[in-house]
Each structure stands twice: as C-alpha cells, then as structure tokens.
Amino acid sequence: MSTVTLDIESVRARFSSLRQPIAFFDGPGGTQVPDSVIEAVASYFRETNANVGGPYETSRRTEALITRSRLVAADFLGCAPEETIFGANMTTLNFALTRTAARDWNAGDEIVVTKLDHDGNVAPWLELAHDKGLAVHFADINADTTVDLDDLERKLSDRTRVVAFPIASNAVGTLTDVKRIVELAHAAGALAWADAVHYGPHGPIDVGDWGVDVLICSPYKFFGPHLGLACGRAELLDSWRPYKVRPSADEPLGHRFETGTLPHELLA
C-alpha cells in the first residue's frame, strides 16, 4: 500500500501568518489564508479593479473572473455553474435565501431544524417564524451526538416546508446521514436545506449526489477569503421571486439572489 507523506514545512511556508510566534486555534471561526490568496486579492486591486457592465478592459476582466469563479465553485459543490450564489458570508446568504423561499408560505407552515445545527441555520428560520406565524420544530440528537432520525421523522407533517440540517456539526464534528435526511424531507414534500460550513474543509461536497435543494458554506473556513457560497437547485431558484434591484440581471439563475455588488477582489 502506497503512503503519502505531507511535507509540513512546505505547507507552513505558504502562510506568512504562520511565521509569527503564535499558535492559531481558529479553525471553527475561520482559517488563515495562504499567500497565494493574499496575492490574488492584491493583484485584482492592482490590475483589474472595476464594476461589471462597462465597455472597457478592466470591467471585461472582472466579468471573466466572475464566470471563472462560478465554474470553480460549481466544481467544488458538485452543481451547475448557474446554480452558484456568492454572498458576504453564510449567515447573510441564509437570511436572504430563507426570506426569499418563504415569500408564499402561510401562517401555520412548519420548519424542522436539528439540535446539532449552528445558529446560522436556525436563527433565520426563527425570524421567519416570528414574522409569518410559522412553527419551528427541533429534531433531537442521540447520546452519541448523531441526529435522532426517528425523532426528525416524527416531527414531519404535511405542513413541513423545510428540513434544515448540518452536514457536520461545527461544535462536535458529528457527520449526519445526508441522504436519509434528504429522503425524509422530500417524502414529506419539504426542501432539504444543508449547512456545509464545517464539513467543507474536511470532505468532498456533491450536491447532485446528495439531492439537497439548497446548500450553503463559507470559503473562509477552508483557506479562502471572507465570502459565503451557496447553491440552489435550478428549478427551485427559477420558481422563486428574488429580492433584488430591478436592473440586476436574471441570469445566471444564482446571480439574481446575490444582493448588491459582488466582492470581486475576493472572488479573485
């Protein structure tokens, strides 16, 4: 059996921040970035800095950068490029997308979250419930910190609109049975809404294989700049009416849910 040796010193050499006499234990809150990320951001400001839609070179470069970013993001998430959505961070994206998803929901509709969830995938639903008269139910966890799937199934009803869950817990690292949760959600006629923030640095994401409807993560948790990244199933995004300014383009699909000007230097 072949053995792969990791050259720790060569990895450390890619991070200027690690040359300080400091021990970083900040993974759950964000990671240090390699020098290549710092250089990419700086290079954008030096050579390309522009808004989109202009008939000049730097604007065209920025638009090409966004296109490349969607291709890379789609490859990372296992979805189509037009299904990718960029934002300030996971929580901000989640507030925007949950608000959009719930435009046509009615008082008494239900949302199921889990006690394993980070508040970034709980608070948006609680705020919706407060504003629209919805009910939020919490699926319990077992003694081994796995989601109690039987309890989750018991909390589903014909009024359930969303099952929100983490791929992995940011607190204890527990993995969830993604396909089973998706299966339960869809059987109830609900959306499967996944938080991959903590899982993203540790394992491959495949939205298509998992069957989730919406997935959100944070590139700054896996050595990227401070961004949020999401994807939504194309048919779902096409059915939603986004909150956006009127001149903002409707295509690609994911773009209509990106509120405001994209942080182009971070996409670099």
Side-chain angles (χ1 to χ4, degrees):
M1 190 172 78
S2 61
T3 302
V4 177
T5 301
L6 177 64
D7 186 344
I8 298 295
E9 289 309 312
S10 69
V11 172
R12 288 181 63 84
R14 298 175 64 184
F15 292 79
S16 289
S17 58
L18 299 185
R19 295 168 197 160
Q20 305 176 65
I22 299 173
F24 292 97
F25 295 100
D26 52 354
T31 51
Q32 300 299 308
V33 299
D35 294 349
S36 56
V37 171
I38 297 170
E39 181 56 33
V41 171
S43 293
Y44 177 83
F45 278 124
R46 284 194 296 263
E47 302 167 6
T48 308
N49 190 19
N51 214 332
V52 297
Y56 44 86
E57 179 61 22
T58 51
S59 181
R60 287 191 288 268
R61 289 183 200 164
T62 296
E63 290 175 348
L65 167 66
I66 295 171
T67 299
R68 291 197 305 274
S69 298
R70 292 198 190 282
L71 290 170
V72 172
D75 186 56
F76 180 76
L77 297 174
C79 65
E82 63 269 18
E83 296 175 317
T84 59
I85 306 166
F86 295 104
N89 51 66
M90 178 273 189
T91 305
T92 299
L93 266 181
N94 216 18
F95 272 105
L97 292 173
T98 54
R99 181 67 56 174
T100 302
R103 271 186 187 272
D104 301 323
W105 296 356
N106 300 307
D109 285 343
E110 300 173 354
I111 298 151
V112 177
V113 299
T114 81
K115 291 185 178 179
L116 203 63
D117 274 285
H118 183 281
D119 203 52
N121 205 21
V122 175
W125 303 114
L126 293 176
E127 289 300 321
L128 272 175
H130 179 271
D131 292 346
K132 297 180 71 71
L134 311 177
V136 178
H137 303 297
F138 284 78
D140 217 333
I141 58 175
N142 298 308
D144 63 357
T145 70
T146 57
V147 174
D148 186 336
L149 295 178
D150 292 332
D151 186 58
L152 189 153
E153 187 171 10
R154 284 192 296 269
K155 286 183 164 63
L156 298 173
S157 76
D158 59 1
R159 297 300 300 270
T160 306
R161 296 292 173 258
V162 164
V163 175
F165 66 100
I167 306 298
S169 165
N170 74 302
V172 292
T174 306
L175 295 172
T176 56
D177 187 343
V178 178
K179 290 189 176 181
R180 179 57 179 154
I181 294 174
V182 170
E183 180 183 13
L184 290 172
H186 289 169
L191 299 175
W193 200 286
D195 168 7
V197 170
H198 186 65
Y199 179 81
H202 303 290
I205 296 173
D206 193 335
V207 170
D209 181 57
W210 288 342
V212 298
D213 299 293
V214 175
L215 181 142
I216 310 180
C217 62
S218 301
Y220 67 94
K221 300 296 178 70
F222 39 90
F223 312 114
H226 206 106
L227 276 173
L229 172 62
C231 67
R233 188 165 44 82
E235 313 88 84
L236 182 64
L237 297 183
D238 198 36
S239 70
W240 287 347
R241 182 164 64 91
Y243 289 92
K244 70 179 186 70
V245 294
R246 288 170 294 178
S248 181
D250 282 333
E251 299 300 330
L253 277 172
H255 172 67
R256 66 181 73 176
F257 302 99
E258 295 166 344
T259 54
T261 304
L262 284 177
H264 305 134
E265 71 283 357
L266 301 186
L267 293 181

